[in-house]
Amino acid sequence: MTEIVLGVGASHSTLMNTHWEETYHKDRAERFRDALGQARDALAAARPDTVILIGSNHFRGFWLDLIPSFTIGVDECIASGESGTPKGPQPVDRELALYLAGSLVERSGFDVAFSARLQIDHGQSHAVQYLLDGLDVDLVPLVVNVFAPPLPTLERCEQLGRAIREAVLAFPGDRRVAVIGSGGLSHRLPWPDWRDPNGEDEEFMVGAWLNGRENWQDYDVRRREIIRAAEASLNPEFDEEILSWMERGQAHRITEYTTAELEKVAGNGAQELRTWLLMSALLDHIPGRRLAYEPMPEWLTGMGVAVLDPAQAPAQTPAQTSERQS
């Protein structure tokens, strides 16, 4: 019987790798890094065979010539290795990944894309680096489009999480499956709406997103310069609300936001919260445990970590179950 044994939501930032020594708020940075270590230990204790790794892509695996809303890696998975994150082939649970891709199309009405040679970037490899360090697990990578509008709605993401949960639990094999949602919380990246770039920097970024499939490294020096020049735009109150929902088993309430409202209140980078929402839906929105929240302006991001552990979740009342399923 296949089980879902743990869920983890965690922010990511390559600036954590490249600008650690320049980070002014070292105490906050260390608390966040320690929380990643606690989550890693929780994953180790859960003994997963496979991790469904849900993340975004920052135009190093997908480009404007083709961006599906959801893509499952079903065979090769290659990490791009930018900014000190892991590089090269990652182990994939091909059997479960192919099963999920087929089941979602044939039984759940989700026409997800699949890739037999998926390139991931720090949207997922940051989690490989810190949350799966030293763990012998296979991956089922799931990439969600969170940066090139039109984005999949938050409600659709929540529905997909439920559908994947049903498919995993019906898998005829025998797996212990953990789930990681990598991204968020509030942050605003100096990225344009690709449909309407304004100014030299934005036109450069859109050009990189359109033409970078074979040569993304050629664009990265200036990309990094543009990102480093950006001013932080965080919303700790919003982040606290999201984490409180996680703790109360109410992560489904993220669907109360439209895509436009989410960007307005928490920045374009907060669209990555789709990964947390999917993860929580896969865990049936059980109450979670916050391990850390640290606003990190040096990394342009609200950095949070939460764990959803079915073995420690309190029983839900019928009213709570009805609320999250409505």
Side-chain angles (χ1 to χ4, degrees), residues 13 19 50 53 75 79 86 89 92 96 109 131 147-148 164 171 187 215-216 231 253-254 259 267 292 297:
S13 172
H19 289 74
T50 301
L53 180 51
D75 199 340
V92 171
L96 179 58
L131 297 175
F147 289 125
I164 296 175
F171 179 60
H187 61 298
N215 55 348
W216 62 266
E231 293 186 6
R253 295 185 60 182
I254 300 173
T259 296

Side-chain angles (χ1 to χ4, degrees), residues 58-112:
H58 305 74
F59 298 99
R60 294 184 181 85
F62 290 90
W63 287 267
L64 290 177
D65 56 7
L66 182 62
I67 298 185
S69 293
F70 307 107
T71 305
I72 294 180
V74 298
D75 199 340
E76 296 179 35
C77 177
I78 303 164
S80 59
E82 85 279 17
S83 304
T85 53
K87 182 177 183 178
Q90 305 298 314
V92 171
D93 185 340
R94 188 171 184 271
E95 183 182 10
L96 179 58
L98 283 168
Y99 169 83
L100 291 178
S103 180
L104 290 171
V105 171
E106 295 169 4
R107 301 177 186 176
S108 302
F110 278 92
D111 299 323
V112 294

